[in-house]
Amino acid sequence: MSNKGMIQWRNVLLLGLTLLLSGCDMVMLNPKGMVAAAQKSLLLDAVGLMLLVVIPVILLSVFVVWAFRSGNINAKYAPEWAHSTLLETIWWTIPCIIVGILAVMTWFTSHSLDPHRPLKDTGKPITVQVIALNWQWLFIYPEQKIASVNFLQMPVDVPVRFLITADAPMNSFQIPQLGGQIYAMPGMGTELNLIANTLGDYRGMSANFSGDGFAGMNFIARASSQEDFDKWVASVKKTSKPLTIQAYKTLAKPTEEGPVQSYSAVADGLFDKVMMKYMQPGMEDLGEKDTSQTKDTVKDTTAATANEER
C-alpha cells in the first residue's frame, strides 16, 4: 500500500474513533463527590498497573514480528531454543507483583468504600428513603416529612444516608458522579452513603434492567446550598399534596417516563410498610398493623441484609 493510501486509512480510522468517543459521557472520570473521587483514583491506579504488562507485551509483539521477518537475514536462527530462565523469571515475577499490589489495594478500598459505612469527618448526614417503583424513583425525606418523585435534592458538602428498597422487580440505584451503586430489592433494605462536594445537577439512574420502562427510569440529583435546600423543602410543604396510602398505590402503578412530582407530607411509616408488605402477612395492602413489631422487623431485616452483603 502506498504512503498516500496509508494516510487516508489512518484519517478514516481517527475520524471513526472521534465519532464513537463523541457519544461517550465520561461521568465516572468526572467525580463530584468524595466517594466517586476515591473510586476514580482506584480505577486509574488499577489501569496504570495493568498497563505495565499490557504496553510491553504490545511493543514486544510488534518487535518480534519486525525482528524475525523473512527478509531479515541477520536474525538469529535457533530452532532448538525452548527455554530461558531469565525470561521465565521476568514474565512470572512482574505479573505476580502487580496482582499482589492490586489485591492489597482492593482489600483496603473495599472496606473504606463500603456503602454501609458512614462517611468520616463529613458532619451529620440527612436520611433519604428510596423506593424503586415501576418505573420511577420515590424519595422520602423522613426528617423533613416530604417526598419527591424522579427528583432528589440535597445540600452540598452534607453526607446523605440512603435507605433503599423496591416495590417492583429488583433494581439498582446509582448516581455515577457521586459514586457507587447498590441494589434495591423487594422486602429488603440496603444502604448507601454518598456526598456531593460540588454544586450542580447530576444524573441518577437505574443500573439494572427491570422491564419496558427501564430506559426512562432516570432522575435528577441536585446538589444545592443549604439555603436553597431549605427553600425547596418549604416550597414543597406549601404547594404540594400529601402522599397518602391511596396516593402511593396510584403512584406505584407501572408508569413510563413519569413526571417529577412532590408531596407535602408522607403517610406514617410508608417506607417500612412497603418493605414489610412482602414479608409480613396482612401488609399486602399497606394496612395498619402493629407498628412496633413492624419497625423491629425492619431493623432486623436491614441489619441482616447488611451483614450478608459484607
Side-chain angles (χ1 to χ4, degrees):
M1 180 182 294
S2 65
N3 290 336
K4 184 177 179 180
M6 292 181 64
I7 293 174
Q8 290 177 341
W9 276 109
R10 184 188 65 182
N11 293 338
V12 170
L13 178 61
L14 290 175
L15 177 61
L17 290 174
T18 302
L19 292 174
L20 288 174
L21 293 175
S22 65
C24 297
D25 186 6
M26 299 292 188
V27 293
M28 295 294 292
L29 299 180
N30 186 25
K32 299 299 182 181
M34 182 177 71
V35 176
Q39 292 175 338
K40 174 188 174 182
S41 177
L42 174 62
L43 174 64
L44 294 180
D45 290 344
V47 171
L49 283 170
M50 289 184 285
L51 287 177
L52 293 177
V53 172
V54 174
I55 292 178
V57 168
I58 294 174
L59 294 178
L60 285 172
S61 298
V62 175
F63 171 77
V64 168
V65 172
W66 175 82
F68 295 97
R69 66 193 186 278
S70 60
N72 186 8
I73 60 175
N74 296 319
K76 184 180 179 180
Y77 179 65
E80 303 299 326
W81 183 87
H83 177 76
S84 170
T85 301
L86 175 61
L87 293 178
E88 289 281 356
T89 302
I90 292 174
W91 59 53
W92 278 105
T93 302
I94 294 178
C96 286
I97 292 174
I98 292 175
V99 169
I101 296 174
L102 288 173
V104 173
M105 290 172 52
T106 302
W107 171 268
F108 283 105
T109 53
S110 294
H111 287 80
S112 64
L113 297 176
D114 182 351
H116 298 274
R117 184 189 295 272
L119 302 178
K120 294 182 178 180
D121 304 323
T122 53
K124 181 182 178 182
I126 65 170
T127 299
V128 178
Q129 298 169 336
V130 183
I131 303 178
L133 304 172
N134 264 337
W135 289 273
Q136 304 183 90
W137 292 100
L138 171 63
F139 302 101
I140 300 173
Y141 295 75
E143 297 162 356
Q144 290 76 21
K145 303 186 185 304
I146 63 170
S148 60
V149 177
N150 297 329
F151 179 80
L152 168 71
Q153 186 154 338
M154 53 195 160
V156 71
D157 293 326
V158 175
V160 183
R161 178 173 177 252
F162 293 101
L163 303 178
I164 304 166
T165 191
D167 195 6
M170 184 176 76
N171 217 304
S172 182
F173 174 83
Q174 184 178 25
I175 308 174
Q177 285 186 277
L178 300 187
Q181 66 87 27
I182 197 163
Y183 286 106
M185 296 170 282
M188 301 182 70
T190 54
E191 182 177 343
L192 180 64
N193 288 275
L194 298 176
I195 187 171
N197 298 122
T198 305
L199 297 172
D201 287 357
Y202 309 115
R203 182 186 180 218
M205 57 185 290
S206 164
N208 189 79
F209 182 73
S210 57
D212 293 341
F214 160 75
M217 195 174 174
N218 303 314
F219 63 91
I220 297 172
R222 175 168 297 167
S224 66
S225 65
Q226 182 67 54
E227 181 182 359
D228 288 342
F229 175 76
D230 294 337
K231 288 181 179 178
W232 174 71
V233 172
S235 174
V236 170
K237 287 184 176 181
K238 290 180 180 178
T239 61
S240 304
K241 57 187 178 183
L243 182 60
T244 62
I245 295 295
Q246 189 57 47
Y248 172 78
K249 290 180 179 179
T250 302
L251 177 67
K253 295 179 180 179
T255 303
E256 296 186 35
E257 304 286 348
V260 172
Q261 303 179 61
S262 57
Y263 297 91
S264 59
V266 182
D268 291 339
L270 177 60
F271 181 82
D272 296 344
K273 291 175 182 178
V274 170
M275 189 187 303
M276 296 310 300
K277 69 182 283 189
Y278 295 93
M279 303 180 65
Q280 185 170 318
M283 288 296 293
E284 292 82 1
D285 61 351
L286 303 179
E288 296 293 333
K289 288 292 179 183
D290 184 355
T291 305
S292 60
Q293 178 183 356
T294 301
K295 289 184 176 180
D296 291 341
T297 309
V298 168
K299 291 180 180 178
D300 294 341
T301 303
T302 304
T305 303
N307 291 332
E308 288 177 2
E309 292 190 349
R310 291 181 185 180

